Amino acid sequence: MTQTYAPGTPNWVDLGSTDVAAAAQFYGGVFGWTLDDLGPDAGGYGIFRKDGKQVAGLGPATDPTRGTSWSTYFATDDVDDVASKVQASGGQVVLAPMDVMDQGRMAVFTDPGGVFFSAWQPGKHRGAELVNQPGSLTWNELATPDLDAGKTFYEQVFGLTTRDIGNEEMSYTLLEVEGRPVAGAMPAAEGMPTAWSVYFAVDDCDQVYAKALELGAQAVMPPQDSPPGRFAILVDPQGGAFAIIKNNPDFTV
């Protein structure tokens, strides 16, 4: 069955790395991914697969100010319309809408808080073929300098609705499509970067965390329990931050 994504849903993530070969080896060791090199016409871009299914992309880092970093893509039926709404809502167009061969059409933006994100209008490539399973994308989370402004922006650009589920200790907002949570947003903690974070599902958080450290990752947050599940945050050997989580099957919001 082909995975489909409603507009406004994160449908793809990819890693821009300063060392593509080393990144392929690292993530292959952590998640059991294999890499399909798409050849010279793709500019060094490749597709990570898990059990034969597309789970993420990998290519050379193209922005020296970002270094190695993961990017979150939102599904859209019209990336040019998204670009117009981004500008009208206080964001910036970093890479104007462009065709990616016959695979789809994409653009890169920053929101009013300076956080990078992308949009993907599917062609042959619909997005991730495996999600919410061990070794695949399971959540995307915005850390923003201004939560209220961020909520308004993504509502205006993608038509998302927002629902606050935080408490006195922590502000947290769900971004939803037709009442279904598709991403989260929270104020950036002091000293922490503002970014769209990617979470990958795992069977055993502690085991995968230890394996990542063994392969050269650095710890940002060691494994800890939370209502959604046991999670940890790491930085890969080239500096790309990512999170892992053993989802709690009984958690609902």
Side-chain angles (χ1 to χ4, degrees):
M1 180 178 178
T2 301
Q3 182 79 33
T4 59
Y5 296 90
T9 305
N11 65 339
W12 188 242
V13 294
D14 63 16
L15 177 69
S17 179
T18 55
D19 189 333
V20 169
Q25 186 173 13
F26 172 79
Y27 286 97
V30 173
F31 295 124
W33 292 349
T34 57
L35 183 68
D36 282 352
D37 187 337
L38 299 183
D41 290 343
Y45 196 85
I47 300 291
F48 279 125
R49 292 181 181 271
K50 176 73 173 179
D51 300 330
K53 296 183 178 180
Q54 298 181 9
V55 291
L58 171 65
T62 57
D63 185 343
T65 65
R66 297 178 70 188
T68 295
S69 60
W70 281 96
S71 296
T72 291
Y73 291 72
F74 290 85
T76 178
D77 293 331
D78 188 341
V79 73
D80 296 84
D81 182 58
V82 169
S84 296
K85 289 178 177 176
V86 164
Q87 292 177 301
S89 302
Q92 300 289 327
V93 177
V94 177
L95 177 66
M98 58 174 283
D99 292 325
V100 183
M101 298 178 284
D102 59 355
Q103 298 300 302
R105 189 165 171 80
M106 66 164 287
V108 181
F109 311 103
T110 55
D111 67 20
V115 178
F116 285 87
F117 69 99
S118 301
W120 182 260
Q121 179 181 331
K124 286 187 175 180
H125 178 68
R126 310 296 300 178
E129 296 173 338
L130 183 71
V131 292
N132 302 322
Q133 300 297 319
S136 68
L137 180 69
T138 193
W139 192 241
N140 302 76
E141 186 174 81
L142 172 67
T144 174
D146 187 332
L147 182 57
D148 288 336
K151 288 158 56 176
T152 299
F153 175 80
Y154 289 97
E155 288 171 346
Q156 293 174 341
V157 171
F158 291 113
L160 298 169
T161 56
T162 59
R163 178 158 56 103
D164 296 329
I165 61 167
N167 52 40
E168 293 180 356
E169 297 179 357
M170 183 184 76
S171 297
Y172 199 88
T173 296
L174 295 176
L175 306 180
E176 299 184 327
V177 173
E178 298 177 350
R180 178 176 57 87
V182 297
M186 62 189 298
E190 186 174 352
M192 295 296 288
T194 56
W196 273 101
S197 298
V198 296
Y199 283 72
F200 297 106
V202 294
D203 269 331
D204 186 321
C205 183
D206 295 78
Q207 185 179 65
V208 174
Y209 174 81
K211 182 65 174 179
L213 294 182
E214 177 188 323
L215 294 174
Q218 295 183 353
V220 175
M221 184 177 293
Q224 58 182 268
D225 292 321
S226 70
R230 188 164 176 81
F231 77 102
I233 303 175
L234 298 136
V235 174
D236 71 27
Q238 285 69 53
F242 67 101
I244 56 175
I245 185 168
K246 164 65 173 175
N247 286 317
N248 173 8
D250 298 323
F251 177 70
T252 58
V253 290

